[in-house]
């Protein structure tokens, strides 16, 4: 899999979103498990603990190195097996994300959407989400997520996301 930028901006209900999609030849329930089950999520993104029913979980991104602190995420909506919406704020910014899973052909489409709070940050955020979602595809299709070289994503895809940011009305 070669690194390519897939994100675009959409405006929904007056809110700018960064949107990325991946189609997988897997049933909706399998894609849902890939983004919510702690064991499956750990293969490509990170681990989480806590009780989602409480409205909060702690997520530790494992592909970022060993010394990454866990961050608290608020579960704002969870509608298995189709939609989860999350919120977090940390030293890197505010993260309002939504993942939806819908049937697509014989498989499923995962749509990732993040509220754009700071358009200038898209040049960093966009390549990161492309990398993570490509890691998801690798993990779920028998590939090695660890084989995806971050340096092929950043700074290589940054120009695409700067151009995407320039389309936003601010």
């Amino acid at each position: 899999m070669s690194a390519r930028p897939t994100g675009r901006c959409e405006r929904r209900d007056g809110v700018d979103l960064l949107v990325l999609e991946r189609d997988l030849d897997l049933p909706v329930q399998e894609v849902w498990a890939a983004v919510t089950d702690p064991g499956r999520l750990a293969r490509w993104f990170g681990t989480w603990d806590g009780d989602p029913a409480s409205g909060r979980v702690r997520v530790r991104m494992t592909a970022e190195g060993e010394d990454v602190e866990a961050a608290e995420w608020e579960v704002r909506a969870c509608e298995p097996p189709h939609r989860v919406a999350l919120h977090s704020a940390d030293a890197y910014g505010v993260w309002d994300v939504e993942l939806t899973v819908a049937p697509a052909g014989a498989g499923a489409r995962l749509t990732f959407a993040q509220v754009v709070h700071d358009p200038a940050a898209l040049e960093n955020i966009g390549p990161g989400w492309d990398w993570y979602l490509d890691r998801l595809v690798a993990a779920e299709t028998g590939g090695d997520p660890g084989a995806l070289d971050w340096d092929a994503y950043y700074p290589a895809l940054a120009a695409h996301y700067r151009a995407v940011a320039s389309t936003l009305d601010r």
Side-chain angles (χ1 to χ4, degrees):
M1 179 180 302
S2 63
R4 62 183 180 83
T6 64
R8 65 185 186 280
C9 279
E10 290 182 10
R11 191 161 188 84
R12 296 183 196 159
D13 299 323
V15 176
D16 291 321
L17 301 170
L18 173 64
V19 178
L20 300 96
E21 296 173 327
R22 296 296 185 274
D23 289 330
L24 293 107
D25 290 329
L26 297 168
V28 165
Q29 293 79 4
E30 289 296 309
V31 176
W32 177 257
V35 299
T36 60
D37 177 83
R40 301 267 292 268
L41 188 69
R43 298 187 316 193
W44 65 274
F45 184 75
T47 60
W48 67 265
D49 60 44
D51 179 7
S54 73
R56 298 204 177 276
V57 294
R58 292 189 48 77
V59 176
R60 185 174 149 314
M61 298 167 71
T62 54
E64 304 273 329
E66 295 298 319
D67 59 347
V68 175
E69 295 285 325
E72 188 166 301
W73 284 78
E74 177 186 352
V75 180
R76 293 198 165 161
C78 186
E79 302 160 10
H82 297 290
R83 177 178 174 259
V84 62
L86 306 161
H87 166 82
S88 185
D90 61 21
Y92 301 102
V94 177
W95 307 87
D96 289 300
V97 300
E98 178 180 89
L99 294 105
T100 57
V101 183
R109 173 171 291 155
L110 172 68
T111 301
F112 171 92
Q114 178 176 336
V115 173
V116 178
H117 293 287
D118 177 6
L122 286 182
E123 71 178 86
N124 298 307
I125 292 169
W129 286 125
D130 270 319
W131 183 66
Y132 272 115
L133 293 175
D134 286 351
R135 288 173 55 83
L136 175 146
V137 171
E140 294 301 315
T141 59
D144 176 10
L148 294 174
D149 182 13
W150 168 245
D151 292 337
Y153 288 78
Y154 186 84
L157 306 185
H160 169 81
Y161 288 99
R162 278 192 299 275
V164 167
S166 73
T167 67
L168 299 175
D169 294 329
R170 290 289 169 159

